[in-house]
């Protein structure tokens, strides 16, 4: 399993409140056709927080089945309850995921010892490579590089981190303390290229739901040494990336896919449809990128 390049944090299409399997499989297939390097089902963008365990396991399995081993699948399986994270990780492993994405426990506000213990317990119960997800804006907790280095030393299954802080100083410290074999992935579409430049190996992206070929191309250009093209693509995606966060993710990206005819614009509460005032600005950006007529 090679984790490098652009990985899409997949949306989960819904129809009448249920997972739209046909739309989901089509979206997975289109991502692969467009050259994406890997897929991440059941993360934040996939609205996993609104799924029960059986449903989450089924969505991961659908993704794995459709991928057919062509790209790595990193399945969202985290929770603020260690016992629940273990159960979700077990479901992900049974579904055939190559690795899991494990968010730092939210709400509980664990100490560094608690964080190390959390990931150690998951790895002991269900040995499977894991990418740790640091997203303070959603968890209220920033995983300090020193604590992450402890996890990297004490939990062999922890092979990398998805850094969604946008803090290049912190990301550089992660590489310094955890070493170059520990994967640093961007969780922030706005700083993909800068993060690659300090030792990052790719991105788990929201905007690549819409432009998988461009995000793949950005990463590939960087690794091929084509800095001119990488810089150009990085600038090119900025306006679309901003539009994906005009409201809470995944509201804009899923709405954009609906405008493009790729899925229905269904959400589960507490997420609500895109505000009417944002519909035209979103359509304007999509038209500018040639994604909408």
């Amino acid at each position: 399993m090679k984790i490098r390049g652009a990985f899409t944090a997949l949306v989960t299409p819904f129809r009448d409140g249920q997972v739209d399997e046909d739309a989901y499989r089509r979206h997975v297939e289109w991502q692969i056709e467009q050259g994406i390097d890997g897929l991440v089902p059941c993360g934040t963008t996939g609205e996993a927080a609104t799924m029960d365990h059986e449903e989450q396991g089924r969505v991961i399995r659908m993704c794995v089945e459709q991928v057919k081993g062509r790209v790595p699948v990193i399945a969202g399986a985290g929770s603020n309850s260690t016992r629940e994270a273990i159960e979700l990780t077990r479901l992900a492993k049974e579904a055939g995921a190559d690795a899991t994405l494990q968010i730092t426990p939210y709400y509980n506000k664990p100490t560094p010892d608690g964080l190390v213990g959390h990931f150690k317990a998951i790895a002991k119960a269900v040995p499977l490579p894991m990418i740790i997800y640091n997203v303070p804006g959603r968890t209220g907790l920033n995983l300090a590089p020193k604590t992450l280095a402890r996890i990297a030393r004490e939990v062999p299954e922890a092979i990398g981190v998805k850094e969604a802080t946008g803090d290049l100083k912190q990301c550089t410290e992660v590489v310094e303390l955890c070493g170059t074999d520990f994967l640093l992935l961007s969780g922030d579409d706005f700083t993909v290229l800068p993060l690659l430049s300090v030792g990052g190996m790719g991105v788990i992206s929201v905007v690549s739901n819409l432009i998988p070929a461009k995000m793949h191309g950005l990463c590939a250009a960087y690794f091929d040494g084509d800095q001119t093209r990488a810089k150009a693509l990085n600038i090119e995606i900025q306006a679309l990336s901003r539009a994906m966060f005009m409201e809470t993710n995944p509201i804009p990206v899923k709405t954009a896919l609906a405008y493009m005819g790729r899925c229905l614009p269904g959400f589960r509460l507490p997420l609500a449809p895109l505000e009417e005032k944002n519909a035209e600005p979103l359509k304007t950006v999509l038209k500018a990128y040639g994604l909408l007529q």
Side-chain angles (χ1 to χ4, degrees), residues 86-230:
I86 288 170
E87 178 58 26
L88 290 171
T89 302
R90 184 172 289 113
L91 290 170
K93 186 171 185 177
E94 290 172 354
D98 297 292
T100 62
L101 184 65
Q102 297 286 347
I103 196 165
T104 57
Y106 41 90
Y107 188 77
N108 312 63
K109 298 179 75 172
T111 63
D113 285 347
L115 286 166
V116 174
H118 173 77
F119 296 114
K120 189 177 289 187
I122 296 169
K124 182 179 179 181
V126 191
L128 189 67
M130 67 172 77
I131 303 293
I132 295 167
Y133 183 16
N134 186 34
V135 55
R138 286 184 180 269
T139 64
L141 181 148
N142 183 27
L143 178 57
K146 287 183 179 179
T147 304
L148 183 59
R150 275 189 62 192
I151 295 167
R153 288 193 304 270
E154 298 181 29
V155 187
E157 288 79 4
I159 62 171
V161 63
K162 176 186 177 183
E163 261 288 346
T165 59
D167 184 341
L168 293 176
K169 179 177 178 291
Q170 176 161 314
C171 291
T172 304
E173 193 174 352
V174 167
V175 178
E176 177 188 2
L177 297 181
C178 297
T180 55
D181 290 336
F182 191 77
L183 298 172
L184 173 63
L185 301 174
S186 173
D188 174 23
D189 285 332
F190 303 102
T191 59
V192 177
L193 183 57
L195 186 136
L196 292 176
S197 75
V198 300
M201 294 303 292
V203 59
I204 296 178
S205 170
V206 173
V207 76
S208 61
N209 276 282
L210 308 178
I211 50 168
K214 277 191 170 60
M215 189 60 85
H216 161 77
L218 191 166
C219 295
Y222 179 84
F223 292 123
D224 288 344
D226 189 346
Q227 299 302 312
T228 300
R229 176 163 171 75

Side-chain angles (χ1 to χ4, degrees), residues 7 100 247:
F7 283 62
T100 62
E247 291 185 24

